[in-house]
Amino acid sequence: MRKLTVAIDGPAGAGKSSVAKVLANRVHYLYIDTGAMYRAFTWAVLEKGIDLSDEKAVRDLVDTIDIRLEPQADLCRVYVGSTEVTEAIRTQRVSSHVSAVAALAVVREKLVKLQQAMAKEGGVILDGRDIGTVVLPQADLKIFLTASVDSRARRRYLEVQAKGGSETYEDIAASIAARDDMDSHRAVSPLKKADDAIVVDNSDLDLEQTADVILGLMKERG
């Protein structure tokens, strides 16, 4: 197959990152974890105690922050400067703030430029909420991956339980629904299906089945 640029958008908890990693490993593409980049910036904001209404402080961080991704076979390691934050950015604390941070135009401008530069040569898979509409509007294949709130909350709850977390299913479901609303209605680059995106609902599909569906679409395009 020729090297494609694949954009996977969709709401939180739909499994975008997980399926993107599986696909990247299968076809030897570079997986660019855009969500991790926004989470890393959010982690830095929280660590520094920056008030999001403080435009100067946010811009200063945008100008100085060094976010790096190191894709590996099993995961994508994430660094802010010399500090690895791969696990730290997946906490509920970061999850609860990332939408507000990602909605800031100055933050999105910097990270979108980084993502576009990384995807320039093709052979890449990116996931997020505005990849097909803003970051890579000319992507070869656009997928809108979605699932019911119930399905997404149950998956997240099982992950939390496996890691010994204390969040309840009800809290997780409420957080996902709230984030859906915030992501869909934010002023800057809201969550939106690209007109030419293919909808894949994986409410009743596991990870490998979801990857099979998208791989089939990649083969059609490639």
Side-chain angles (χ1 to χ4, degrees):
M1 293 189 296
R2 67 185 178 91
K3 295 291 187 178
L4 304 175
T5 300
V6 181
I8 303 178
D9 290 309
K16 300 183 299 296
S17 297
S18 296
V19 76
K21 292 172 188 174
V22 170
L23 288 167
N25 284 332
R26 284 193 189 182
V27 298
H28 307 294
Y29 273 29
L30 173 63
Y31 166 54
I32 301 175
D33 190 343
T34 63
M37 296 171 74
Y38 285 103
R39 284 176 173 272
F41 195 95
T42 302
W43 175 87
V45 166
L46 295 172
E47 283 293 298
K48 293 178 179 296
I50 294 175
D51 186 332
L52 294 183
S53 64
D54 187 342
E55 294 182 8
K56 183 180 184 303
V58 172
R59 183 170 289 280
D60 286 345
L61 182 59
V62 165
D63 291 339
T64 59
I65 196 169
D66 173 29
I67 297 175
R68 292 182 293 109
L69 304 180
E70 292 187 2
Q72 298 183 359
D74 58 336
L75 81 167
C76 182
R77 296 192 180 279
V78 186
Y79 294 84
V80 174
S82 61
T83 303
E84 182 176 357
V85 295
T86 307
E87 294 295 329
I89 63 173
R90 300 297 173 183
T91 62
Q92 188 62 36
R93 178 171 178 245
V94 171
S95 296
S96 297
H97 291 84
V98 66
S99 286
V101 172
L104 298 174
V106 65
V107 176
R108 300 197 71 81
E109 181 180 352
K110 178 183 178 69
L111 296 187
V112 165
K113 287 181 179 178
L114 287 175
Q115 293 155 14
Q116 290 172 333
M118 296 169 72
K120 189 175 181 180
E121 300 303 320
V124 295
I125 300 176
L126 288 79
D127 73 283
R129 286 164 184 74
D130 63 352
I131 307 301
T133 56
V134 175
V135 181
L136 298 174
Q138 303 303 320
D140 297 300
L141 175 63
K142 300 177 186 178
I143 301 294
F144 191 83
L145 185 64
T146 189
S148 67
V149 171
D150 177 68
S151 295
R152 288 182 279 149
R154 291 187 183 282
R155 292 170 189 167
R156 177 60 180 162
Y157 177 70
L158 292 175
E159 292 175 359
V160 168
Q161 290 293 297
K163 295 180 180 179
S166 60
E167 292 94 348
T168 66
Y169 165 82
E170 289 76 15
D171 287 342
I172 292 171
S175 176
I176 287 175
R179 187 167 176 189
D180 283 353
D181 183 70
M182 180 181 293
D183 286 347
S184 298
H185 294 91
R186 67 191 184 195
V188 180
S189 298
L191 169 64
K192 181 181 179 182
K193 184 184 82 67
D195 292 339
D196 54 347
I198 299 172
V199 177
V200 175
D201 188 321
N202 70 352
S203 297
D204 299 315
L205 301 177
D206 63 22
L207 178 59
E208 294 297 330
Q209 291 170 328
T210 304
D212 288 341
V213 171
I214 298 176
L215 183 57
L217 295 170
M218 290 176 65
K219 288 180 178 179
E220 291 178 5
R221 295 294 172 91

